[in-house]
């Protein structure tokens, strides 16, 4: 057991830290959550800077440890969040890299890395959220195209996306996990309507997407026809495995800020609050250690993230909500003021036990795939 | 970064598992089951009828359980805290009774502790475990009063003045808690797969399945925290490890009991022993308050 880094890893960290120190001071702040075009431009601009500096492909090609260092250092330095690049860099990109043809990799990967193209995710549907395989959006072959009709929901960045990683049903007669296909759909195709959805935070974070006989070339299919469920599992393992590394670092910073605020406003004298923050310190230290453990394991195994991601996500999503509830206790009545720090984050944290597979679904995954308990009905 | 067990560490863990497995086998659990329930018959005070297994103690000594952190020149294995943590995790998993931490810490200080010939007990907080069965009590136990211990396999005395916290003792206790939490999860899963109700294994019901899943999540988070603390030896990491490991052991044993249903509430099942031992260990090293305050102070350092 070793928590030290190799000389090359330390060198990578030092170079990255140096570069961040050079570029971050002159970077403007990120536009507001309601300005999607502004956010797209900002996030893609940041991705372009990473690309030019040689850091763009850290999510795919670098060793898991280098990826960990990248996420740790960028978060510590207060670098921009991956933002509108999330689906492209963390879902679609790795999936196409793993499952796509050479032509597909050449077509889609460079623009993702350069920050030229934004992707969104067309997985969930109104009647197929956690039961993802129940999706009903249909696609049928017409010459060299699939013709797609149906609707998707909870689609982040849909308004500003160029591409959508889309799951469609190509065989209605097959068992529900079988007749699914993974397509890359251009968002400017005729027949696509995007309707923004307002979240409880008050921002238009995601959207409904209606598809009316949208034509998608057969060449945009990743994996075989009706083999989309397997491809989807590849995508989801990336989503759960590495998506939260930077956030744990951020939570540890927030905790220190909360302690400082509590000292300032006198609430630190309350032993119950102090102990609560101390307990959260234990929680986020442990989650950071679990991250390091999972990364080391992935590195030793030489594969992508495994089901261990579900273990992490279950605990992290809960801890994040507890963190911002503690923030509310530190703030007192100030926690009712949307202008106060942490209040919007507290509202946002409510999505964490729902998005990317609810906690209930994650528990089923842990119980069935790790502990080997029987599938229920 | 290789935050994984080395081959040597895996071998050490297997060796300890082999020795303590003799204790945790079915025969030993039977011995526990025969121990008279404390609320029946004569009430004992501090005088457990369960004697410390000196044979096991010597076997652990031969294995190097107590001496593994001593320098090779002093007859030890010259290993570190990560190895000690793996050994104590296995002891916790097998629920080995006795003052393991106190004797381990006394190796090199009290003659014969390293080989397991001498049993050393110590005051920790306000409690002394196994005082009457020990050959040596550190730093002494003036005015110790026997309790009727809730854990039939851990006789307890209370001392008037609290002893100071030893961070290594806290970490090794966390490792024992981790082992117990692992055992509780294993037992719960085993039962959930075997026990059928309404025509299927109860593990197929989400209510039961989710109890088991949460157990595993707590175990894995605690494991990462305990192993990392063994590597860094940072007091805040050790405090975090103890909080996570206590939670994993105490809540894990409770959930295991719940999964076992009525069977879990009986004296014959081993489940209650896991919970009671976890409660005893959670009192060591100043309890959770001290660790939480340390971690709170660290936030403003």
């Amino acid at each position: 057991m070793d928590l030290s880094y190799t000389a090359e890893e330390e060198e990578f960290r030092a170079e990255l830290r140096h570069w961040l120190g050079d570029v971050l001071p002159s970077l403007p702040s990120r536009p507001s959550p309601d300005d999607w075009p502004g956010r797209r431009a900002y996030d893609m601009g940041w991705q372009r800077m990473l690309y030019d500096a040689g850091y763009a492909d850290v999510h795919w090609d670098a060793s898991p440890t280098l990826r960990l260092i990248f996420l740790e250092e960028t978060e510590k330095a207060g670098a921009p969040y991956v933002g509108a690049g999330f689906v492209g860099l963390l879902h679609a990109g790795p999936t196409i890299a793993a499952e796509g043809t050479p032509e597909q990799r050449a077509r889609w990967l460079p623009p993702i890395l350069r920050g030229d193209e934004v992707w969104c995710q067309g997985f969930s549907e109104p009647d197929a959220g956690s039961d993802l395989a129940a999706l009903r959006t249909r696609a049928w072959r017409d010459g060299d195209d699939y013709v797609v009709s149906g609707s998707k929901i909870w689609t982040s960045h849909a308004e500003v996306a160029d591409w959508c990683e889309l799951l469609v049903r190509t065989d209605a007669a097959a068992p529900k996990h079988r007749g699914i296909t993974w397509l890359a759909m251009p968002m400017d195709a005729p027949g696509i309507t995007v309707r923004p959805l307002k979240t409880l935070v008050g921002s238009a974070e995601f959207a409904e997407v209606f598809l009316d006989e949208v034509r998608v070339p057969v060449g945009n299919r990743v994996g075989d026809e009706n083999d989309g469920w397997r491809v989807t599992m590849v995508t989801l393992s990336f989503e759960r495995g590495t998506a939260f590394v930077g956030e744990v670092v951020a939570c540890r910073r927030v905790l220190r800020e909360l302690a400082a605020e509590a000292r300032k406003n006198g609430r630190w004298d309350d032993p119950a609050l102090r102990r609560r923050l101390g307990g959260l310190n234990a929680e986020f230290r442990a989650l950071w250690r679990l991250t390091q453990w999972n990364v080391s394991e992935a590195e030793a195994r030489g594969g992508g993230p495994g089901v261990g991601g579900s273990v992490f996500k279950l605990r992290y999503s809960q801890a994040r909500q507890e963190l911002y509830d503690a923030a509310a206790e530190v703030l007192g009545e100030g926690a009712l003021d949307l202008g106060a720090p942490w209040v919007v984050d507290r509202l946002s944290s409510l999505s964490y036990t729902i998005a990317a597979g609810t906690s209930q679904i994650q528990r089923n995954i842990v119980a069935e795939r790790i502990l080997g308990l029987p599938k229920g009905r | 970064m290789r935050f994984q067990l080395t081959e040597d560490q895996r071998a050490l863990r297997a060796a300890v598992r082999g020795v303590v497995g003799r204790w945790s086998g079915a025969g030993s659990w039977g011995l526990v089951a025969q121990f008279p329930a404390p609320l029946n018959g004569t009430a004992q005070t501090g005088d457990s009828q369960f004697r410390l297994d000196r044979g096991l103690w010597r076997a652990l000594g031969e294995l190097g359980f107590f001496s593994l952190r001593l320098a090779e020149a002093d007859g030890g294995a010259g290993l570190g805290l990560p190895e000690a943590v793996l050994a104590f995790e296995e002891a916790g998993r097998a629920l080995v009774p006795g003052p393991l931490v106190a004797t381990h810490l006394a190796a090199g200080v009290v003659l014969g502790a390293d080989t397991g010939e001498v049993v050393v007990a110590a005051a920790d907080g306000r409690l002394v475990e196994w005082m009457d069965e020990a050959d040596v009590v550190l730093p002494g136990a003036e005015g110790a009063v026997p309790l009727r211990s809730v854990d039939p396999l851990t006789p307890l005395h209370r001392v008037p003045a609290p002893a100071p916290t030893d961070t290594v003792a806290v970490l090794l206790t966390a490792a024992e808690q981790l082992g117990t939490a692992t055992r509780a999860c294993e037992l719960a899963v085993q039962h959930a797969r075997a026990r059928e109700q309404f025509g299927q294994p109860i593990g197929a019901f989400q209510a039961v399945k989710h109890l088991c899943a949460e157990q595993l999540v707590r175990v894995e988070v605690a494991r990462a925290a305990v192993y990392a603390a063994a590597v860094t030896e940072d007091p805040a990491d050790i405090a975090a490890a103890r909080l996570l490991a206590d939670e994993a052991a105490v809540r894990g044993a409770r959930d295991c009991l719940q999964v076992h249903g009525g069977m879990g509430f009986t004296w014959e099942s081993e489940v209650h022993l896991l919970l009671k031992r976890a409660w005893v260990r959670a009192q060591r090293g100043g309890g959770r308050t001290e660790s939480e305050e340390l971690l709170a102070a660290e936030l403003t350092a």
Side-chain angles (χ1 to χ4, degrees), chain A residues 249-271:
Chain A
V249 178
C251 285
R252 294 186 69 182
R253 190 189 60 229
V254 168
L255 197 51
R256 289 190 168 276
E257 291 167 1
L258 287 180
E261 174 64 25
R263 286 189 81 143
K264 214 163 65 186
N265 71 18
R267 288 177 210 267
W268 190 251
D269 297 333
D270 173 1

Side-chain angles (χ1 to χ4, degrees), chain A residues 38-347:
Chain A
R39 284 210 152 188
R40 178 194 156 116
Y42 184 89
D43 296 344
M44 293 299 105
W46 170 242
Q47 181 60 27
R48 181 65 195 217
M49 288 172 73
L50 290 171
Y51 179 83
D52 290 339
Y55 293 117
D57 59 350
V58 74
H59 299 291
W60 310 345
D61 288 347
S63 75
T65 302
L66 291 189
R67 192 178 315 139
L68 180 82
I69 292 171
F70 175 83
L71 292 166
E72 184 184 6
E73 290 300 325
T74 47
E75 181 53 51
K76 273 187 182 161
Y81 172 62
V82 63
F86 186 89
V87 172
L89 282 162
L90 301 178
H91 281 207
T95 305
I96 293 165
E99 299 288 332
T101 63
E103 295 76 37
Q104 290 175 334
R105 290 202 290 270
R107 166 62 189 88
W108 286 311
L109 300 188
I112 291 175
L113 294 176
R114 281 195 306 263
D116 290 343
E117 291 182 347
V118 169
W119 284 67
C120 62
Q121 187 188 52
F123 281 14
S124 295
E125 297 185 5
D127 291 322
S130 290
D131 186 8
L132 185 56
L135 62 92
R136 288 205 294 237
T137 293
R138 289 169 304 132
W140 59 94
R141 289 281 281 267
D142 181 30
D144 290 336
D145 290 336
Y146 285 105
V147 181
V148 183
S149 282
S151 69
K152 296 289 173 177
I153 198 165
W154 321 131
T155 312
S156 302
H157 311 113
E159 287 174 89
V160 294
D162 304 289
W163 294 94
C164 176
E165 50 173 18
L166 186 74
L167 294 185
V168 295
R169 187 159 294 289
T170 35
D171 182 355
K176 74 176 186 178
H177 290 86
R178 299 249 173 87
I180 295 172
T181 298
W182 200 107
L183 297 177
M185 177 177 74
M187 287 299 283
D188 59 358
I192 299 177
T193 309
V194 175
R195 187 177 79 86
L197 283 169
K198 207 169 217 172
T199 70
L200 61 76
V201 183
S203 61
E205 202 163 287
F206 40 44
E208 270 183 293
V209 178
F210 299 95
L211 307 167
D212 181 18
E213 303 205 345
V214 179
R215 299 188 81 88
V216 179
V218 172
N220 287 18
R221 186 186 73 215
V222 175
D224 290 337
E225 186 168 294
N226 299 328
D227 192 30
W229 186 253
R230 189 189 58 76
V231 180
T232 302
M233 290 302 107
V234 172
T235 308
L236 293 184
S237 75
F238 284 108
E239 179 175 27
R240 286 168 197 158
T242 47
F244 303 107
V245 171
E247 294 191 13
V248 174
V249 178
C251 285
R252 294 186 69 182
R253 190 189 60 229
V254 168
L255 197 51
R256 289 190 168 276
E257 291 167 1
L258 287 180
E261 174 64 25
R263 286 189 81 143
K264 214 163 65 186
N265 71 18
R267 288 177 210 267
W268 190 251
D269 297 333
D270 173 1
L273 177 68
R274 241 178 12 241
R275 289 181 57 186
R276 186 170 173 183
L277 296 179
L280 282 164
N281 188 6
E283 198 70 41
F284 285 103
R285 276 171 174 271
L287 284 166
W288 178 245
R289 297 313 188 185
L290 183 62
T291 302
Q292 291 179 311
W293 181 267
N294 287 343
V295 163
S296 289
E297 195 177 36
E299 195 142 289
R301 215 183 38 227
V307 280
S310 291
V311 169
F312 178 86
K313 186 187 180 275
L314 268 168
R315 187 76 176 221
Y316 172 67
S317 55
Q318 185 63 41
R320 188 179 172 97
Q321 290 172 359
E322 286 166 15
L323 171 69
Y324 287 109
D325 281 345
E329 199 178 326
V330 170
L331 289 169
E333 71 290 341
L336 302 177
D337 175 3
L338 282 171
W342 306 306
V343 177
V344 168
D345 291 315
R346 185 187 189 202
L347 292 171

Side-chain angles (χ1 to χ4, degrees), chain A residues 1-2, chain B residues 3-6 9 12 68-69 79-89 171-172 175 226-233:
Chain A
M1 281 186 264
D2 189 359
Chain B
F3 187 32
Q4 298 284 300
L5 269 58
T6 64
Q9 287 168 340
L12 173 85
L68 67 83
R69 289 189 306 125
L79 296 172
L81 271 179
E83 287 75 20
V85 153
L86 292 172
F88 273 81
E89 181 186 344
L171 178 62
L172 296 180
V226 170
Y227 290 1
V231 172
T232 67
E233 302 185 23

Side-chain angles (χ1 to χ4, degrees), chain B residues 219-239:
Chain B
V219 165
E220 293 304 318
V221 176
R223 183 184 311 285
V226 170
Y227 290 1
V231 172
T232 67
E233 302 185 23
D234 177 329
D237 276 341
I238 291 175

Side-chain angles (χ1 to χ4, degrees), chain A residues 275 285 363-364 368, chain B residues 206 209-210 214 237 292:
Chain A
R275 289 181 57 186
R285 276 171 174 271
R363 286 187 197 106
N364 286 350
E368 290 166 12
Chain B
Q206 280 199 342
K209 191 178 277 188
H210 288 189
E214 287 293 339
D237 276 341
E292 284 168 344

Side-chain angles (χ1 to χ4, degrees), chain B residues 2 62 71 138 170 215 251 268:
Chain B
R2 308 289 293 178
E62 275 168 39
L138 294 176
V170 170
Q215 275 187 265
R251 287 190 58 188
E268 284 78 12

